[in-house]
Amino acid sequence: PSGASAGEPCSLPSWRQVRIVDPPARNPTLIPGILRRGHVAVMSGKGKVGKTQSAIQLALAVAMDGEWFGLRIPNGGKVLHLDPECDAKSLDNRYSHVCEAMGIDKAATVGRVFQWPLRGVEDVTIDRVLRKLEADSSYGNFALIIIDSASVFVSGDENSSVDVRRFSAKVMQIAKVTGAAIWCVHHFGKAK
């Protein structure tokens, strides 16, 4: 069965039997009980409440097989932080300060945490990000990709379900292409 009405073409996949008896292996866990590789999570909140700070702490915990909010991350890996809002020097300094606060040897992070500074880059869209990652990143290069802030990458209106659904589909495609867990940071609207 395809689920389509008679005479209607359907580009959706067919449904399938659930593999209850012999289920396939799940994607590896990145954050126990929260996030697996190849999956997407969103952290959202008002401005200036520590979302980026928390994302940096997560990045360092993943890169160093450390701990994040009491959760041990035993199977981390390299991290890529996409930031269209913060300049590269500021993000470097934020990571440096968080390393100090977490007691992490800064030299040990070399080759483990990468940033993609996109501030000031014209026409930054999630489509362009996906194409660049498809071209320049192999599956498994990164354990975690942080997108901070997601609202910058939404083409159109972030209050439009159609535009947000399109953005979400592209983010899920990034997870599929890279095999990384995706951590999106999103700001709530500034209206009171």
Side-chain angles (χ1 to χ4, degrees), residues 117-164:
L118 296 169
R119 182 178 177 167
V121 176
E122 192 174 322
D123 191 30
V124 176
T125 65
I126 199 67
D127 292 297
R128 289 182 69 197
V129 167
L130 173 58
R131 284 194 305 270
K132 179 76 169 163
L133 286 169
E134 284 176 323
D136 295 349
S137 176
S138 296
Y139 186 89
N141 277 6
F142 296 107
L144 175 68
I145 297 175
I146 296 170
I147 300 175
D148 182 9
S149 149
S151 60
V152 174
F153 294 101
V154 175
S155 297
D157 179 1
E158 69 178 281
N159 294 311
S160 161
S161 64
V162 171
D163 293 336
V164 170

